[in-house]
Amino acid sequence: MHRLSKRSALVIGCASGIGASVARLFAREGADVALADSGRAAETASLQEAIIAEGGRAASFEVDVRDEAAVAAAIEGVIATFGKLDILVNNAGVSGGFAPFATQNPADWQGVLDVNLNGVAYGMRHALPHMLSRSHGRIINTASQLAHKPAPNNAMYCASKAAVVALTASVAMEVAASGVAVNAVCPGPTDTAMWRAADPEWNAWKISTLPIKRVGTVEEIAWAYVFLASDEASYMVGQSVSPNGGDVMW
Ligand code: NAI
């Protein structure tokens, strides 16, 4: 069964990790998939080729989510290429590093917010007019389980992801009755470049606190996006869907 046939999707932040897996699964489920990332043309091109080789339809765009005009141009580009935009995934994210809050560099703070929060806001701002005009759309924002259960030495990241959850819920309330569903995925620890680049001691501690006692795979996270993008998720509004190994259970 192809859950996303006749749908067109844009996945921003898809050169690796969770976003790449989401893009592949969306294509396997029948969606036309636009790939967007920043400064990772080779990886994005190789993902595009892989999707096309499997019989899918894919396009790619260079987008730095800190640049609102670039985000807007990509959304216009997807609509021009595929004729419409049904599904937007705002997945670009950076970790910001691990340090006690008081010692963190204010420039790093701004850098994390620029990508993790502003990038999501830009994506929604420029996709919504098109989706509202069609009375149809799905927006899926990547937050984190750290939005719901913050951790020490990672305050900037936790705050940015909690803001994504609040932004998601607030916008979801505004547009739900107009046919556009806005939800968030809050992954737990997931085996990606971001996870592997983190402090090994922090990672070991985090896994020790998980009921499942292991890190998740990207596919275990990506299916939550397929669900939220599908017709089966038509009653999901402003939710935090949390594939997280049991770290947060509400
Ligand atoms: P990743 O590093 O493989 O993916 C992050 C993606 O965002 C990359 O493709 C990167 O190039 C892109 N990106 C970063 N800055 C960008 C910018 N300015 N403009 C456009 N694209 C940009 O790592 P991962 O883990 O797959 O991260 C994906 C999302 O999942 C992020 O939002 C991250 O915060 C979130 N997340 C990850 C968890 C984990 O344990 N790996 C847990 C919870 C959330």
Side-chain angles (χ1 to χ4, degrees):
M1 178 177 120
H2 283 162
R3 294 175 183 82
L4 304 180
S5 61
K6 300 194 175 67
R7 299 291 191 219
S8 119
L10 169 61
V11 184
I12 305 181
C14 67
S16 60
I18 294 167
S21 186
V22 169
R24 273 178 175 265
L25 283 185
F26 276 11
R28 284 177 193 160
E29 292 294 331
D32 295 339
V33 183
L35 312 168
D37 213 294
S38 175
R40 302 186 64 182
E43 288 127 305
T44 307
S46 127
L47 179 58
Q48 185 177 356
E49 281 164 25
I51 289 172
I52 291 169
E54 288 184 10
R57 198 164 168 227
S60 64
F61 297 86
E62 167 67 29
V63 177
D64 185 330
V65 295
R66 296 170 295 184
D67 178 354
E68 183 166 8
V71 174
I75 289 168
E76 283 171 22
V78 176
I79 296 166
T81 305
F82 294 144
K84 59 181 179 143
L85 175 63
D86 296 300
I87 304 156
L88 170 65
V89 177
N90 290 307
N91 179 68
V94 292
S95 79
F98 292 79
F101 175 66
T103 68
Q104 283 180 334
N105 183 336
D108 291 342
W109 168 262
Q110 193 56 51
V112 169
L113 290 183
D114 284 346
V115 176
N116 293 6
L117 178 58
N118 293 358
V120 172
Y122 298 155
M124 289 205 287
R125 179 141 65 213
H126 292 282
L128 277 171
H130 171 76
M131 291 179 172
L132 290 170
S133 75
R134 300 179 63 238
S135 301
H136 173 77
R138 294 291 167 83
I139 297 178
I140 307 166
N141 299 322
T142 301
S144 167
Q145 111 278 7
L146 292 170
H148 296 296
K149 184 179 178 185
N153 298 327
N154 205 15
M156 297 185 299
Y157 183 84
C158 295
S160 73
K161 294 299 190 178
V164 169
V165 168
L167 180 67
T168 299
S170 180
V171 176
M173 288 176 192
E174 292 176 21
V175 300
S178 305
V180 180
V182 184
N183 291 285
V185 176
C186 293
T190 311
D191 189 14
T192 67
M194 183 183 289
W195 170 259
R196 280 175 239 137
D199 175 5
E201 277 184 34
W202 193 97
N203 285 1
W205 162 76
K206 190 69 213 175
I207 288 177
S208 76
T209 68
L210 290 180
I212 205 167
K213 302 293 178 203
R214 67 170 176 84
V215 69
T217 68
V218 289
E219 290 80 11
E220 287 176 308
I221 308 302
W223 282 109
Y225 294 76
V226 173
F227 169 63
L228 288 173
S230 73
D231 290 345
E232 285 80 4
S234 52
Y235 209 53
M236 300 291 283
V237 174
Q239 298 297 312
S240 290
V241 175
S242 301
N244 65 19
D247 198 23
V248 178
M249 295 192 184
W250 64 88

